[in-house]
Amino acid sequence: MLVIILILLLIIILLWALRNPIKSAANKLADQTNRLLGYHLLPTTIGSFENDIEDGLTSSQFDLEANLEENDNRAGLKDKEEILKIMKKNNVSFDEARLIRQKRLLRKNGIDPDTGLPLDPKFVSFGSSQ
């Protein structure tokens, strides 16, 4: 009986000592599992604007340096993996990749990316014709 109690106590002490690495590994595994299932999580503490700048995810139109100067502690850009894939696949700049991604999102949600109008055939607009 004493041996069982000592083993349990040893396991508890070991888990307590390794709680931070276990928590970090579990969070990373949960994030990867959710991405595989198609869930997109809000940014976590993984990543930073500094990392985004190093990855080339900044431009004069979308300057992340200001975020660093203001000590912005958010985790950086959301969906940066998707933008990096577009940049690599289409050989385009960061701004062009953002535009491509935005147009895809609009089209996916039933909005014409060129006009901003709904693609629904039942849509009726009462505007002035010129």
Side-chain angles (χ1 to χ4, degrees), residues 10-111:
L10 181 63
I11 291 172
I12 291 171
I13 291 170
L14 186 62
L15 289 174
W16 177 259
L18 297 175
R19 70 187 180 279
N20 288 333
I22 291 171
K23 181 180 174 184
S24 175
N27 284 338
K28 200 176 275 189
L29 179 64
D31 285 347
Q32 290 172 350
T33 303
N34 284 331
R35 286 187 183 175
L36 284 174
L37 295 174
Y39 295 108
H40 298 286
L41 302 174
L42 293 173
T44 61
T45 55
I46 300 170
S48 68
F49 288 117
E50 235 173 38
N51 292 344
D52 295 339
I53 292 170
E54 289 173 8
D55 291 338
L57 302 177
T58 188
S59 69
S60 61
Q61 301 296 317
F62 195 86
D63 186 16
L64 294 180
E65 293 289 336
N67 295 66
L68 289 180
E69 291 169 7
E70 295 172 4
N71 294 324
D72 192 336
N73 61 358
R74 290 179 292 168
L77 299 176
K78 181 182 172 195
D79 299 326
K80 74 183 221 177
E81 295 88 8
E82 184 180 355
I83 294 172
L84 285 169
K85 284 179 188 175
I86 294 170
M87 288 172 67
K88 192 173 192 177
K89 182 180 178 186
N90 299 346
N91 195 25
V92 295
S93 69
F94 172 60
D95 288 328
E96 291 174 54
R98 286 179 39 239
L99 179 62
I100 291 169
R101 180 181 174 277
Q102 190 60 35
K103 285 185 174 186
R104 286 180 185 170
L105 286 173
L106 288 171
R107 196 172 292 115
K108 178 181 174 185
N109 289 300
I111 299 170

